[in-house]
Amino acid sequence: MMSAYDKVLSARKADKLMAADYISHLFADSFFELHGDRRFGDDKAVIGGIAMLYDTPITVIGLEKGGNTKERMERNFGSAHPEGYRKALRLMKEAEKFHRPVLCLVDTSGAFCGIGAEERGQGQAIAENLMEMMTLKTPILSILIGEGGSGGALALAVADEVWMLENSVYSVISPEGCASILWKDSEKAPEAAECLKMTAKDLFRLGAIERIIKEPKAENQNMFESLKLLIGRTFEKNLAVEPDELIEARYNRFRKMGCGE
């Protein structure tokens, strides 16, 4: 049985499938990427665009770490700048205009915390995403496919439902960071991981997520077809709900968190 820290290490594995892989397997050639935040530039840590989910056009946004060293440097290892979150929000507001569902694929250790990102308003960009997603008048589904670190992950996870892959993690801080703060010793990261309740099973039990997904294998397209079918059924269900009711349910989903196990 894998420990919580084993799950962390699995979520960080260099050879696991990234957001771009999921987009390719789920939507094949129908995905059309869109770029830029109309303010500063195009953040390659965030992939966003339009795809066809069977006969339904949807907006897809993913936090992408990159598949090799060169790509990881270009993608900033999946740590988005403020222009990345603004790009994501621009695409979500566009989706709202045309009543397209929004699918977010989350995999990041956290938002980039460099000086440039802070100068360009990293905190404000994340806060605006949280606020706008809460009242977005179209269905939103977020899936944690690897690491879900802090506000950088939450900025794409204010959704009607949040799902996690079985070996993904979702937490306010990394176990190493938590151990360094609490015990001044990053070597206690495994102990911190247990305390943080950051695994899919823990978060499902706590009511923070709605579904745990078996991790698809690149060579098994049937697993992606099953995931695609689940996504399609979820969007079909939520598209039938009046926007005001959808927003109210989304608000209540977050309000009831922490009310007991």
Side-chain angles (χ1 to χ4, degrees), residues 206-218:
L206 292 167
I209 66 169
E210 280 70 34
R211 187 184 291 271
I212 300 173
I213 304 293
K214 188 173 178 61
E215 192 150 354
K217 306 297 181 184

Side-chain angles (χ1 to χ4, degrees), residues 139-155:
I140 314 170
L141 170 63
S142 294
I143 305 177
L144 278 293
I145 61 170
E147 283 188 280
S150 195
L154 187 60

Side-chain angles (χ1 to χ4, degrees), residues 62-206:
L63 287 162
E64 170 65 25
K65 289 183 175 180
N68 55 47
T69 302
K70 182 181 178 182
E71 286 182 7
R72 286 177 193 131
M73 292 180 70
E74 289 177 347
R75 305 280 187 186
N76 202 34
F77 299 86
S79 293
H81 291 78
E83 52 269 23
Y85 292 111
R86 292 187 181 116
K87 173 169 67 172
L89 182 57
R90 178 176 75 82
L91 297 179
M92 286 187 275
K93 296 299 286 184
E94 179 191 82
E96 180 183 51
K97 179 178 179 180
F98 295 102
H99 202 48
R100 287 196 301 263
V102 177
L103 173 66
C104 296
L105 301 170
V106 181
D107 184 14
T108 181
S109 59
F112 188 59
C113 55
I115 293 174
E118 294 301 327
E119 288 175 341
R120 296 194 300 276
Q122 184 71 287
Q124 182 180 8
I126 291 172
E128 285 179 350
N129 276 33
L130 303 182
M131 179 179 70
E132 295 288 351
M133 290 181 78
M134 187 60 76
T135 58
L136 202 73
K137 294 181 178 180
T138 199
I140 314 170
L141 170 63
S142 294
I143 305 177
L144 278 293
I145 61 170
E147 283 188 280
S150 195
L154 187 60
L156 290 183
V158 179
D160 306 307
E161 293 187 24
V162 176
W163 301 351
M164 289 179 68
L165 296 188
E166 57 188 344
N167 292 327
S168 62
V169 292
Y170 191 22
S171 175
V172 69
I173 191 171
S174 70
E176 293 85 0
C178 177
S180 296
I181 291 170
L182 292 183
W183 300 298
K184 312 299 181 187
D185 183 3
S186 62
E187 294 297 319
K188 291 191 175 182
E191 183 177 345
E194 296 291 344
C195 296
L196 284 167
K197 305 297 182 187
M198 60 196 303
T199 69
K201 285 185 177 180
D202 287 328
L203 291 165
F204 183 79
R205 188 173 67 251
L206 292 167

